[in-house]
Amino acid sequence: MYVVYSEVHRMHHPPFEIAEGGTKQPMFDAPQRMDCIVGALRHTEWAHFVEPGDFGVEPILAVHSADYVDFLRTGYVRWREEAAALGAGIDPTVLLGVSWPPRRALGRPKTATGLAGYYAMDTCCPITAGTYAAALTSAYGALTGAQLLLDGEKSAFALVRPPGHHAGRDFAGGYCYLNNASIAARFLCTHGKVAVLDIDFHAGNGTQDIFYNEPAVLTVDLHADPDRQYPYFSGYADECGVGAGLGFHHNLTLPAGANDALYLAELDKGLQFIRDAEPAYLVLSFGADIFAGDPIGDLSVTTGGFEEIGRRIAALDIPTLIVMEGGYNTDHLGANTVMVVQAFAVAH
Ligand code: Q9C
Ligand code: ZN
């Protein structure tokens, strides 16, 4: 099985994020996450590493607005100039919004500082010098995996960072800048019906945003109830799509502490939606933060649970692109990820 991976993710390593209570803490999405997973995959006999290809800007702009991508590409350099003008005491290495538009506000600012708030939904998506290059390479990783499916592979794993499922058409959030899984899904959907199954701990609000009003891609999202967990503002069970997209989005929510049995019962509901739709391709947004020992998550899925999750999704027997999202317990991240991915490697 091909694992698409590039070292370019290391260019994105912001020194901090601002968490609940204003705590300035090391960013959970750090390069070390990839080292854990790569290390575990190298111990298997089935993982064959390949580099992402270059797909140009077109498949990115098929998902994200041009003004947002332009901000990601140029924002940091503009910020260096602004920071210099702001004077001493300003850290020019991190562009992070501190002002956000209130609901219904439409005014678009001109400064990098203003735009960083305009194009973000939280304090967890700082932009550094290498962020755009890393985010673009991450999207290309997902596209390369999608191309492998088009070339006849039964499955592929896009081991990418930064993750993507919180990034919407024109905003960053939750460590995500470009929505890798959505970009791959959009790329695949001209070749057949596509379903996205998102099993990251957090609701994939970006993916929901991107496909919400269209039936082209079925989105099924299983996650912690947003009434208590990030991203707070979407991922509720009664959000089912709008207009032509009505009925093509499903949110399945989980209570704190959900164990393997409860998790798998809800997963089965999601898998039935996918079976009924008979897609030609499946994109699996995979986050290992559902793990019992995850420092951000509050579910209780075990390593054995990951194995069964992988088995049940692979049993759909649909050509599947697995795209890495979250997962922050670096002691178990490699093993848990291998459990899911190898279910596909051995199935085909
Ligand atoms: N106390 C992904 O898993 N806020 N993103 C966390 C922790 C943001 C997670 C606060 C979490 C984003 C891809
Ligand atoms: Zn997550």
Side-chain angles (χ1 to χ4, degrees):
M1 180 176 181
Y2 287 111
V3 176
V4 189
Y5 175 73
S6 163
E7 291 286 329
V8 172
H9 74 84
R10 292 186 201 286
M11 293 180 68
H12 172 68
H13 189 191
F16 63 83
E17 63 179 82
I18 311 283
E20 284 79 1
T23 309
K24 198 172 177 180
Q25 64 186 31
M27 193 146 163
F28 276 108
D29 176 39
Q32 191 204 354
R33 295 180 56 236
M34 296 294 103
D35 298 335
C36 298
I37 301 169
V38 169
L41 288 169
R42 291 220 189 274
H43 281 99
T44 73
E45 283 172 358
W46 46 262
H48 303 289
F49 285 81
V50 291
E51 293 274 333
D54 184 340
F55 289 77
V57 81
E58 194 186 325
I60 311 295
L61 295 180
V63 162
H64 294 285
S65 69
D67 58 313
Y68 172 60
V69 174
D70 196 55
F71 162 72
L72 288 179
R73 188 172 56 80
T74 62
Y76 179 76
V77 171
R78 292 168 65 179
W79 162 240
R80 292 295 296 206
E81 289 159 18
E82 277 173 35
L86 285 167
I90 300 279
D91 179 355
T93 61
V94 179
L95 170 59
L96 187 59
V98 294
S99 301
W100 288 274
R103 274 166 282 178
R104 296 179 298 279
L106 294 170
R108 186 175 179 280
K110 287 201 168 60
T111 65
T113 317
L115 291 169
Y118 185 80
Y119 287 118
M121 63 173 286
D122 57 48
T123 55
C124 297
C125 39
I127 294 174
T128 61
T131 296
Y132 182 68
L136 189 61
T137 303
S138 194
Y140 286 169
L143 285 164
T144 303
Q147 185 61 53
L148 285 166
L149 297 190
L150 296 180
D151 294 344
E153 291 295 322
K154 201 72 197 289
S155 60
F157 179 31
L159 177 53
V160 297
R161 186 192 156 267
H165 75 148
H166 297 306
R169 186 180 131 74
D170 59 359
F171 61 87
Y175 317 149
C176 303
Y177 305 83
L178 296 175
N179 194 314
N180 312 309
S182 293
I183 289 166
R186 176 76 86 210
F187 183 74
L188 286 168
C189 81
T190 56
H191 301 269
K193 198 187 280 184
V194 175
V196 177
L197 172 62
D198 187 328
I199 63 166
D200 184 277
F201 169 80
H202 304 93
N205 63 291
T207 308
Q208 174 172 333
D209 173 71
I210 287 161
F211 295 114
Y212 206 57
N213 60 7
E214 48 176 295
V217 175
L218 175 76
T219 43
V220 178
D221 194 344
L222 173 56
H223 49 260
D225 199 319
D227 67 2
R228 72 170 193 285
Q229 285 288 350
Y230 182 91
Y232 306 118
F233 316 122
S234 80
Y236 291 92
D238 61 352
E239 299 165 359
C240 302
V242 290
L246 186 62
F248 293 90
H249 183 80
H250 299 280
N251 287 318
L252 296 158
T253 59
L254 294 159
N259 62 11
D260 291 345
L262 179 54
Y263 190 92
L264 290 165
E266 291 301 309
L267 176 66
D268 283 343
K269 294 181 193 168
L271 296 180
Q272 194 54 49
F273 290 130
I274 294 168
R275 260 185 226 105
D276 291 345
E278 299 184 346
Y281 300 101
L282 177 67
V283 176
L284 176 64
S285 266
F286 168 62
D289 40 6
I290 55 176
F291 182 53
D294 193 90
I296 300 182
D298 64 11
L299 301 186
S300 297
V301 175
T302 67
T303 298
F306 278 88
E307 189 172 16
E308 184 59 23
I309 289 165
R311 239 186 250 133
R312 291 192 191 187
I313 302 170
L316 290 172
D317 199 26
I318 301 167
T320 299
L321 169 64
I322 306 169
V323 179
M324 195 69 206
E325 301 287 357
Y328 308 98
N329 182 321
T330 47
D331 292 332
H332 299 266
L333 181 55
N336 289 339
T337 301
V338 164
M339 284 299 174
V340 169
V341 178
Q342 84 177 355
F344 292 84
V346 303
H348 313 125

